[in-house]
Amino acid sequence: MPSPKLSRRRLMLAGAGVAAATAAPVALNGTAQADTAVNPANVPDGAPLIKVENGSTRWGSGGIVNQDTSTTLQGIAFDSVNGHLYTLQIAGASQVAYLKSGSQVAVTAAVTGDDHAASGDMCLTKHDLNGNVLGSMYLLGFGHGVSLGIEPASGSTPAYVWTEANAARSGYGQEIVRFPFADRTLLWTSHPAVQRVASPDPAATSMTPYVDAANGILLLRYVLNGAHWFAAYALAAARTAAVGGTALPAPLARIQQPFLPKADANGDPTAEEAVFQGFASHGRYVYLLDGEARKNTDTSQPLSAEDKWTIHTTSFDLNGVLNDPVTGYIRRTHSEADAGANPREPEGMAVYTGSQGLRLCFGITNNSPTGTRQFDLYYKA
């Protein structure tokens, strides 16, 4: 855990630091890690590191609305090849009538609006790059939707979606699945269209995926022994495992997530852990998003000192080489993007690799004056 006495510059602009002499991850909790946690550090080089300290630019005019306008955004992903944005959110009360309609009555008869978050019921929306809704699906019992992965559509083959699943009553998925996107379709976790892979560890919980289609990598984030971990796999081999219902291959890398501290009103780190809001990867580099909604909701005023420092983006090396030996990450910086947004909560992160160039993207909730839940998309390039 980084010391609370680190300077503001140390926290926000932590440089690459001295490369570790070994590929094994830094023991951030001060204790030796078990042999099973040693990082193989085999994610290929080649993808550039996106600088999280770069300024943030809004994508388009903002005000993107998902299929369900009563709940907020959770996760985002791109089909960069075909110019599509996918978003996940918890299914809201406004969707109860739809979920109980037609042939799905038996599946959803006991589900009420208040149950959706605990049950892991989600709405998946497909957008064009201007934010227009192109289609949607409903996923019953899948999870919370912090992240998702998309394999791009090709010819007659639809885009394939990777998500968490089997939330039971925890609200968070306990396994990883893959399924084809099909507009106006409702899936439950045992649906025959849902392909699943075995857990990376029998004791792992709260799993969520991300797909780096440009570099052929499936990245999983999960909880093991009270800590969050990342494990990267060759996407082609993971796809084969999903189709065959077999175990994942050996990971290319497996490394513990670094501690991400909240900042105080001066921008200095505290001993309190930040609220995690999303992640994405490009090659060997992972990007992390954390933060909370603004405390001062008077958007006519400049951001308060507390709100100014609440949102952070962090870069992290899966191979462990570039991570600072003190902080455990490459670089971390705060973001003052969307200063007039309300509630201004950061939600979801993804890397776009299409014709508009390499972009590290993240969502910020910015509800309409009438209360419609919507978000603005920002990016760093």
Side-chain angles (χ1 to χ4, degrees):
M1 178 185 299
S3 168
K5 296 181 180 179
L6 288 174
S7 70
R8 183 188 315 176
R9 179 174 178 80
R10 181 64 166 171
L11 170 68
M12 303 305 166
L13 298 176
V18 179
T22 174
V26 177
L28 299 177
N29 57 8
T31 60
Q33 294 179 350
D35 289 343
T36 55
V38 170
N39 186 359
N42 289 326
V43 179
D45 288 322
L49 174 66
I50 303 171
K51 294 182 178 181
V52 295
E53 67 270 26
N54 287 351
S56 301
T57 302
R58 189 165 67 180
W59 189 318
S61 58
I64 299 174
V65 178
N66 291 326
Q67 172 67 28
D68 187 340
T69 60
S70 64
T71 63
T72 195
L73 171 74
Q74 293 296 329
I76 62 175
F78 288 98
D79 176 348
S80 298
V81 174
N82 298 288
H84 297 145
L85 168 68
Y86 289 80
T87 60
L88 269 180
Q89 62 186 128
I90 300 298
S94 65
Q95 301 302 317
V96 173
Y98 177 89
L99 293 173
K100 289 184 176 181
S101 67
S103 62
Q104 303 306 327
V105 171
V107 178
T108 62
V111 177
T112 68
D114 292 338
D115 288 332
H116 285 304
S119 299
D121 300 336
M122 299 191 294
C123 176
L124 172 67
T125 306
K126 176 182 177 180
H127 306 259
D128 63 21
L129 294 184
N130 294 317
N132 300 306
V133 174
L134 301 178
S136 63
M137 298 179 70
Y138 296 94
L139 313 175
L140 298 184
F142 278 65
H144 193 75
V146 171
S147 182
L148 71 155
I150 299 294
E151 291 182 63
S154 177
S156 60
T157 302
Y160 269 78
V161 184
W162 289 78
T163 69
E164 64 197 288
N166 191 24
R169 298 295 297 180
S170 72
Y172 291 84
Q174 307 306 311
E175 64 178 330
I176 298 297
V177 298
R178 175 182 183 263
F179 56 86
F181 180 84
D183 185 24
R184 290 176 290 182
T185 299
L186 186 148
L187 295 183
W188 50 100
T189 56
S190 60
H191 191 283
V194 177
Q195 304 167 353
R196 47 188 29 86
V197 296
S199 170
D201 188 292
T205 62
S206 300
M207 287 177 276
T208 187
Y210 182 81
V211 169
D212 172 8
N215 296 286
I217 295 172
L218 170 69
L219 182 64
L220 303 185
R221 180 178 183 263
Y222 55 89
V223 174
L224 184 62
N225 298 326
H228 282 94
W229 292 82
F230 288 107
Y233 301 87
L235 178 59
R239 183 189 305 116
T240 298
V243 172
T246 58
L248 287 165
L252 300 171
R254 179 175 49 200
I255 186 169
Q256 187 175 333
Q257 177 185 303
F259 177 79
L260 302 175
K262 283 187 178 180
D264 62 21
N266 295 316
D268 292 321
T270 69
E272 187 176 359
E273 189 170 16
V275 177
F276 191 84
Q277 297 286 12
F279 70 98
S281 68
H282 187 58
R284 62 188 276 193
Y285 304 115
V286 179
Y287 304 94
L288 314 174
L289 178 69
D290 64 76
E292 299 177 66
R294 66 190 304 151
K295 300 298 189 294
N296 179 8
T297 59
D298 183 358
T299 58
S300 67
Q301 300 297 316
L303 288 172
S304 67
E306 182 179 18
D307 292 332
K308 175 181 176 180
W309 294 98
T310 189
I311 297 176
H312 292 84
T313 54
T314 305
S315 54
F316 178 59
D317 183 3
L318 284 169
N319 287 341
V321 177
L322 293 184
N323 296 329
D324 186 283
V326 175
T327 65
Y329 47 74
I330 301 172
R331 192 175 292 268
R332 177 168 169 81
T333 188
H334 79 291
S335 175
E336 297 177 37
D338 227 2
N342 187 30
R344 196 177 175 262
E345 184 171 7
E347 299 281 2
M349 181 170 262
V351 174
Y352 169 82
T353 59
S355 60
Q356 299 188 49
L358 183 63
R359 295 179 173 183
L360 174 62
C361 304
F362 56 99
I364 296 181
T365 55
N366 187 13
N367 296 345
S368 74
T370 60
T372 297
R373 301 294 183 93
Q374 58 189 33
F375 69 96
D376 299 328
L377 187 65
Y378 275 78
Y379 68 89
K380 296 173 179 285

